[in-house]
Amino acid sequence: MDEHTLRETVLRVLGEVAPEVDVTRVNPAEDLRDQLDLDSMDLLNLAIGLFQATGTEVPERDYGRIVTVDGCVGYLMERGGPPA
């Protein structure tokens, strides 16, 4: 999966975790916890949603790496993205 598709996937999952958010207005470099007032449960749901959407597991020790959209995309790219 290419970077563009992963970014769309991350935004879709974010929209499922925080349905009140207009994902087109999210700053991809800003911490989602500050920007959208996400809490630890929302971050857990984001990690679960990313796993369901991509097949890439995000262990709790890596949650700090998925606190921005750019971070999520980079993490998924580094981990090889979803299975083909």
Side-chain angles (χ1 to χ4, degrees), residues 1-83:
M1 191 177 283
D2 64 25
E3 183 175 347
H4 176 75
T5 304
L6 281 173
R7 185 170 301 277
E8 288 179 343
T9 300
V10 168
L11 290 173
R12 180 180 53 78
V13 171
L14 181 59
E16 292 168 0
V17 170
E20 70 283 358
V21 171
D22 178 359
V23 295
T24 64
R25 302 181 68 87
V26 171
N27 179 338
E30 189 176 336
D31 191 315
L32 296 168
R33 296 169 295 185
D34 297 332
Q35 184 176 188
L36 307 176
D37 198 28
L38 298 185
D39 61 20
S40 58
M41 187 58 83
D42 294 322
L43 199 57
L44 170 64
N45 288 330
L46 178 61
I48 291 168
L50 292 173
F51 171 70
Q52 291 172 335
T54 67
T56 300
E57 186 173 350
V58 182
E60 186 175 355
R61 70 177 177 272
D62 290 343
Y63 284 5
R65 297 185 59 198
I66 62 163
V67 296
T68 67
V69 171
D70 288 344
C72 288
V73 172
Y75 184 82
L76 294 170
M77 292 291 292
E78 181 182 303
R79 299 283 311 265

